[in-house]
Amino acid sequence: MTQSRMQHALLAASLAIFLAPAAAAQAKAAFACPATLTVTEQAQTPAGWSGPTVKAEHALQTAKIYNGNPGKQEYDLKPDDDAKQGKSLLLTWILKDYRDMNLFVRCFYYDTGATVTANIPAAVNKCSVTLEMTASGEIAGKSQMECQ
């Protein structure tokens, strides 16, 4: 191997070692349900009627975490902790104890039946969902999810 090739290889290896922790941390921090979901709706109209195709944006309502495989064998996991903070409810799942099977999240949105599902990366150890609640215990307002 020439000296130039060795220098390039050494530089590439050094960059990979330097950037890998940052990339892993970014991947961990970036995992969460999308805050909004755009849904395309098309009415199934009766004979003689027509309707436009409409795109609507829906805000995150809640998220649920499951063991198993989406659409097949699914086990809804109860949060490990739930804490009220004023009008907010914080749900927390500690994921390390459930890693014997695949873990995935299903995200639910206001005013639509459309959901999205994603497998939770193995590097993620904890997920929390913050829900704004009404006095009667209904989910209302802004919700958010964070995983670490």
Side-chain angles (χ1 to χ4, degrees):
M1 186 180 264
T2 68
Q3 184 175 1
S4 176
R5 281 190 174 174
M6 284 180 74
Q7 287 174 335
H8 286 307
L10 183 58
L11 177 62
S14 297
L15 282 173
I17 291 169
F18 177 73
L19 295 176
Q26 184 179 12
K28 276 177 146 179
F31 186 80
C33 287
T36 60
L37 181 68
T38 301
V39 177
T40 302
E41 299 176 5
Q42 172 67 54
Q44 291 188 352
T45 58
W49 292 83
S50 64
T53 299
V54 178
K55 283 189 177 182
E57 192 169 280
H58 301 273
L60 179 66
Q61 182 178 30
T62 192
K64 292 185 179 181
I65 295 180
Y66 300 82
N67 251 158
N69 296 301
K72 297 178 183 164
Q73 194 176 30
E74 299 182 358
Y75 303 98
D76 189 356
L77 299 178
K78 181 181 175 194
D80 293 297
D81 188 35
D82 56 0
K84 281 196 165 201
Q85 300 171 340
K87 290 174 31 178
S88 295
L89 177 63
L90 177 65
L91 305 175
T92 303
W93 289 265
I94 307 300
L95 303 177
K96 65 181 179 181
D97 295 335
Y98 302 106
R99 288 290 181 184
D100 56 328
M101 293 178 70
N102 182 55
L103 290 174
F104 66 95
V105 61
R106 182 168 290 124
C107 310
F108 297 84
Y109 294 84
Y110 285 107
D111 303 321
T112 183
T115 62
V116 292
T117 302
N119 289 328
I120 300 173
V124 173
N125 296 314
K126 177 175 133 179
C127 287
S128 297
V129 177
T130 304
L131 309 171
E132 279 188 34
M133 307 298 287
T134 65
S136 62
E138 303 274 325
I139 300 171
K142 185 177 181 181
S143 299
Q144 64 185 70
M145 179 182 189
E146 180 183 336
C147 293
Q148 306 170 354

